[in-house]
Amino acid sequence: MAGDHRLLLENARQVVLVCARGERFLARDALRSLAVLEGASLVVGTDGLIKAIGPADVIQEQFSEETFEERIDCSGKCILPGLVDAHTHPVWAGERVHEFAMKLAGATYMEIHQAGGGINFTVERTRQASEEELFGSLQQRLQCMMRAGTTLVECKSGYGLNLETELKMLRVIERARRQMAVGISATYCGAHSVPKGKTATEAADDIINNHLPKLKELGRNGQIHVDNIDVFCEKGVFDLDSTRRILQGGKDIGLQINFHGDELHPMKAAELGAELGARAISHLEEVSDEGIAAMATAGCSAVLLPTTAYMLRLKQPRARKMLDEGVIVALGSDFNPNAYCFSMPMVMHLACVNMRMSMPEALAAATINAAYALGKSHTHGSLEVGKQGDLIIINSSRE
Ligand SMILES: N=CN[C@@H](CCC(=O)O)C(=O)O
Ligand SMILES: [Zn+2]
């Protein structure tokens, strides 16, 4: 039924705005208390944007003459912004359950990787898979994420490594972006691993000379929209020099830098990211003190991935140190064949228990700060007038 507005959420016990003054991120003291309204209503317009939020009686009075396509009685319930998942690898074929058994028997992530398993195992299977098959599994995975409250998700390529398969993955992500009711930030991750038969330098040359020009062309004519460039900067994968060249190449064609760094070995990835103006760096289990300070100064966000440290039995990233130093801390599920988690609530829980983040810090990290990591905190990540009407209603009266 047509109406003046799409949606009226009435009389919620609590509306957790997260922030209310147009903040692009929350850090330091701003994380101590999030913006919350009690006994409030919220209106979403036909354009999908938030039109009004306020005390239930004020909204009722203000909109008394207007019609809504849908009204939901939120008495006794709590409204939150949709969750933002800042790091996922959701396009792939081929299970890696056998590797879980190997890890349980003592093998490390890198031992499996160097023996041709891990990412390169998934690359083989993903190269063989049809676009239709990849789209079908992506659709199902995104639906699972949405059911757990995610409304904006970063999606990486990176199981193709050659141009043909990287483009196939990016087309699949583009199709989901156009067809599905979830926000997507697309990341080109052609430097996720060094392909068989190439050195890291050769792979970097191929990316810079062949992949990036093609992405630029496809972006220009509107065929594929890519937001971010990623590299797995790690000992035995891409060293600091190759990482720098690839990220700079991506930045030169207008992509935001958002990469894997300082995960298994200290690489000075954080220092590099700060220098290059990176939006975000993920993992950071092995980040240096200098790297943390550089990220705080540069406004480069840290995307922490509690499922990785849990799955691989790594030491936890130093979330408390980062928060104390003023780094913008965000969270991601890292959904991939090695860390099979769709749920940002589970990620927030692990962040609280294992990384010692407070509940408000975890919620900000999974909303406004994750949106910042994707360059989308002007439109996503909090409930404020003019922002996207992405929200979740939970049958619980309090934040
Ligand atoms: N560390 C690199 N990439 C992924 C793992 C991908 C895989 O193992 O397939 C991560 O973020 O955890
Ligand atoms: Zn990753």
Side-chain angles (χ1 to χ4, degrees), residues 22-56:
E23 296 95 325
R24 293 292 183 251
F25 59 84
L26 295 179
R28 295 189 190 272
D29 290 349
L31 286 164
R32 277 188 211 286
S33 60
L34 305 182
V36 174
L37 293 177
E38 307 279 341
S41 297
L42 184 152
V43 176
V44 178
T46 50
D47 56 3
L49 304 182
I50 297 172
K51 293 291 164 236
I53 315 173

Side-chain angles (χ1 to χ4, degrees), residues 75-306:
S75 310
K77 299 192 171 48
C78 175
I79 303 174
L80 295 164
L83 301 175
V84 181
D85 187 341
H87 183 132
T88 81
H89 303 256
V91 185
W92 47 267
E95 300 293 336
R96 302 221 309 257
V97 181
H98 60 286
E99 290 184 3
F100 185 47
M102 288 161 75
K103 283 182 212 120
L104 295 181
T108 66
Y109 182 81
M110 261 306 157
E111 282 165 0
I112 295 172
H113 181 89
Q114 271 149 9
I119 295 172
N120 284 337
F121 175 92
T122 307
V123 166
E124 292 295 317
R125 298 297 190 279
T126 306
R127 285 181 181 175
Q128 287 158 15
S130 71
E131 208 156 316
E132 211 45 44
E133 184 187 330
L134 291 175
F135 180 71
S137 56
L138 173 64
Q139 219 178 1
Q140 284 179 8
R141 289 165 191 161
L142 291 176
Q143 274 157 1
C144 289
M145 291 177 189
M146 288 162 77
R147 277 203 290 276
T150 296
T151 55
L152 172 63
V153 55
E154 186 258 10
C155 297
K156 299 178 193 294
S157 68
Y159 293 117
L161 310 183
N162 60 27
L163 181 58
E164 183 194 344
T165 315
E166 285 298 312
L167 291 181
K168 177 170 73 174
M169 296 182 75
L170 290 170
R171 280 195 301 273
V172 164
I173 294 170
E174 179 67 26
R175 186 168 159 199
R177 204 172 66 77
R178 292 182 192 192
Q179 292 183 11
M180 294 189 67
V182 63
I184 289 181
S185 177
T187 300
Y188 163 73
C189 187
H192 196 198
S193 181
V194 177
K196 255 193 214 153
K198 280 198 165 78
T199 63
T201 306
E202 287 165 350
D205 289 343
D206 184 33
I207 287 169
I208 292 163
N209 299 329
N210 302 313
H211 294 210
L212 295 180
K214 190 69 188 172
L215 289 187
K216 186 177 172 188
E217 178 198 320
L218 294 172
R220 246 202 215 134
N221 64 28
Q223 281 178 269
I224 293 179
H225 181 85
V226 180
D227 301 279
N228 317 293
I229 180 146
D230 193 350
V231 174
F232 187 12
C233 177
E234 182 57 60
K235 194 171 161 194
V237 191
F238 288 96
D239 61 17
L240 210 61
D241 186 48
S242 299
T243 302
R244 176 196 296 278
R245 290 171 56 221
I246 297 167
L247 293 178
Q248 186 61 53
K251 186 175 176 181
D252 291 344
I253 63 162
L255 303 180
Q256 302 181 114
I257 297 177
N258 184 330
F259 70 112
H260 293 68
D262 295 326
E263 178 187 355
L264 304 169
H265 298 91
M267 298 291 292
K268 296 203 182 298
E271 290 87 333
L272 175 69
E275 181 198 323
L276 294 178
R279 250 287 143 177
I281 306 172
S282 289
H283 286 294
L284 299 165
E285 285 82 354
E286 298 287 346
V287 68
S288 68
D289 289 351
E290 295 73 24
I292 291 176
M295 287 179 72
T297 306
C300 171
S301 53
V303 179
L304 304 184
L305 307 171

